[in-house]
């Protein structure tokens, strides 16, 4: 139903109910909790490739289902009955409320926020989202959470000028930032890294040095530059991410996916931006590259850089973000801060809104 509007979903459910009356058996998978309860008789929860349990929907509730999905109890009284051989929902051994990234990173304490607001967003609307408002502080890692495709990426691309905005204001202090194009965003000190490096990142078939320096050319308005000078400027940026490559003249295609993504990120660090927008940046890269990336992100935040991190992996958000804004249906539905940044609360906020 992800591509259907509400009226189409209701029509589809009417067909499902007719088939049920005819004696047909159906398995229905959905990320929307209201759809599960509207159409189902029983619910089976599968976590980490194992069946946790099966319950009658009239004998449980959404909070209990979510608790079993994430392996964390909401409260002992709300877990419901488990009549069909469930394992139960005890906390996993060694589990922490704050989950580190898959690379084994443990969550740091919240970053000490710098003075001032790096970006203020009010009433922002565009393709697939509306009424988005938040303040991004210097030295902060602000997480965007929620189910995949709920407007998080579209917000980041709009802030970078890659998608048009239909309403809203973006300001820094008393200065309005129109951000109509990526070129304008770059010159305003805003950087954007996409997890889709083939579409938005690497320049296929070109040398590594050419992939590292286009932002430097743009920000410095360079017409000509000596390769040796460019390599000197790029060296520190690639070294900060432990990038492995044979030489700057080698083609970007000769690198692994993780090292290609490191090159994409390093191009923004030659001339440091004020705001870094990370759009699911670890998609398709190995655990070692993820560890290097998040170590750098936290170091940049400690130095005062303002960072927005959208990740489709909840562990990455919980392990690195100081605050998490949970999206659903193109809107921010809840903000998680401090001790609220748990896997259960993140799932509950996303599914409750859905």
């Amino acid at each position: 139903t992800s591509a259907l509007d509400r009226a189409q979903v209701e029509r589809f459910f009417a067909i499902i109910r007719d088939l049920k009356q005819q004696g047909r058996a159906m398995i229905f998978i959905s990320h929307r909790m209201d759809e599960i309860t509207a159409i189902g008789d029983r619910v089976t929860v599968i976590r980490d490739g194992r069946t946790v349990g099966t319950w009658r929907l009239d004998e449980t509730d959404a909070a209990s289902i979510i608790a079993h999905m994430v392996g964390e109890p909401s409260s002992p009284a709300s877990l419901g009955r488990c009549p069909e051989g469930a394992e139960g929902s005890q906390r996993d051994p060694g589990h922490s409320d704050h989950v580190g990234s898959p690379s084994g990173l443990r969550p740091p304490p919240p970053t000490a926020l710098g003075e001032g607001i790096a970006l203020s967003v009010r009433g922002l609307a565009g393709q697939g989202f509306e009424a988005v408002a938040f303040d991004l502080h210097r030295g902060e890692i602000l997480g965007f959470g929620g189910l995949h495709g709920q407007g998080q990426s579209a917000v980041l691309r709009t802030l970078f000028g890659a998608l048009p905005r239909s309403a809203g204001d973006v300001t820094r202090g008393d200065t309005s930032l129109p951000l109509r194009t990526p070129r304008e965003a770059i010159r305003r000190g805003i950087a954007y890294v996409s997890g889709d490096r083939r579409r938005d990142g690497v320049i296929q078939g070109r040398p590594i040095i050419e992939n590292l320096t286009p932002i430097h050319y743009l920000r410095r308005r360079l017409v000509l530059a000596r390769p040796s000078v460019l390599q000197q400027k790029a060296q520190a940026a690639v070294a900060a991410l432990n990038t492995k490559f044979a030489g700057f003249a080698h083609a970007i295609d000769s690198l692994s996916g993780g090292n290609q993504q490191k090159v994409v990120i390093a191009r923004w660090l030659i001339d440091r931006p004020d705001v870094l927008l990370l759009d699911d940046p670890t998609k398709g890269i190995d655990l070692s590259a993820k560890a290097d990336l998040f170590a750098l992100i936290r170091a940049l935040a400690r130095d005062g850089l303002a960072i927005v991190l959208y990740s489709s992996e909840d562990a990455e958000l919980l392990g690195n973000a100081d605050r998490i804004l949970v999206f659903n249906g193109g809107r921010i539905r809840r903000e998680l801060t401090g001790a609220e940044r748990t896997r259960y609360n993140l799932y509950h906020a996303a599914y409750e809104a859905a």
Side-chain angles (χ1 to χ4, degrees), residues 29-351:
I29 302 171
S30 177
H31 284 155
R32 298 185 180 276
M33 193 59 63
D34 63 335
E35 294 182 354
I36 295 290
T37 55
I39 202 67
D41 297 297
R42 295 183 299 148
V43 59
T44 293
V45 173
I46 299 174
R47 185 177 72 246
D48 297 331
R50 297 174 62 89
T51 297
V52 174
T54 298
W55 298 265
R56 288 189 56 84
L57 279 164
D58 58 8
E59 294 179 348
T60 187
D61 56 26
S64 174
I65 294 168
I66 294 170
H68 288 296
M69 289 167 61
V70 302
E72 295 181 18
S74 54
S75 66
S78 70
L79 292 179
R81 295 176 59 191
C82 184
E84 300 190 35
E87 293 177 4
S89 59
Q90 297 300 313
R91 186 181 301 269
D92 297 333
H95 181 85
S96 168
D97 277 347
H98 298 304
V99 183
S101 75
S103 60
L105 293 172
R106 306 311 302 167
T111 306
L113 303 185
E115 295 183 2
I117 294 174
L119 212 61
S120 182
V121 177
R122 293 290 181 272
L124 191 66
Q127 297 179 15
F129 66 92
E130 60 183 354
V132 169
F134 60 87
D135 288 330
L136 174 65
H137 297 84
R138 295 188 179 93
E140 177 183 34
I141 303 174
L142 176 64
F144 281 5
L147 302 178
H148 181 67
Q150 301 304 307
Q152 305 96 322
S153 290
V155 170
L156 295 182
R157 291 173 65 81
T158 299
L159 290 174
F160 188 60
L163 292 177
R165 81 172 82 158
S166 57
D169 298 306
V170 182
T171 59
R172 178 182 295 147
D174 296 328
T175 304
S176 177
L177 306 179
L179 306 178
R180 290 177 290 258
T181 65
R183 181 185 296 269
E184 186 173 3
I186 291 167
R187 287 181 171 158
R188 297 280 190 165
I190 297 177
Y192 170 82
V193 175
S194 170
D196 191 343
R197 58 184 171 274
R198 289 192 172 274
R199 183 192 68 184
D200 298 323
V202 299
I203 308 169
Q204 297 289 340
R206 303 306 303 167
I208 292 169
I209 190 64
E210 290 185 19
N211 276 270
L212 281 165
T213 53
I215 304 304
H216 178 67
Y217 266 87
L218 179 61
R219 295 195 67 175
R220 296 301 180 93
R221 291 179 167 84
L222 297 179
V223 178
L224 297 173
R226 293 172 59 189
S228 59
V229 175
L230 292 178
Q231 290 177 18
Q232 282 184 332
K233 291 183 176 295
Q235 185 61 53
V238 292
L241 282 160
N242 295 320
T243 312
K244 297 177 176 63
F245 62 102
F248 286 105
H250 284 68
I252 190 74
D253 311 75
S254 66
L255 303 183
S256 67
N259 281 300
Q260 288 185 24
Q261 186 71 334
K262 288 179 179 182
V263 168
V264 172
I265 295 167
R267 70 167 56 135
W268 295 101
L269 304 181
I270 297 174
D271 298 293
R272 184 174 141 161
D274 298 314
V275 174
L276 179 59
L277 308 176
L278 299 172
D279 189 358
D280 216 359
T282 64
K283 189 190 302 180
I285 67 175
D286 59 66
L287 298 183
S288 176
K290 289 184 181 184
D292 291 337
L293 171 60
F294 284 117
L296 177 66
I297 289 172
R298 291 198 293 268
L300 291 171
R302 286 193 295 270
D303 288 342
L305 187 64
I307 300 170
V308 182
L309 169 65
Y310 164 56
S311 175
S312 54
E313 295 190 30
D314 57 288
E316 294 182 357
L317 289 176
L318 294 168
N320 296 282
D322 302 304
R323 290 186 294 143
I324 301 174
L325 304 180
V326 184
F327 280 71
N328 190 270
R331 288 175 173 263
I332 296 172
R333 302 294 182 174
R334 186 174 173 187
E335 177 180 327
L336 302 178
T337 61
E340 295 179 324
R341 297 172 299 159
T342 67
R343 197 175 184 210
Y344 174 81
N345 285 340
L346 181 57
Y347 273 59
H348 188 271
Y351 282 92

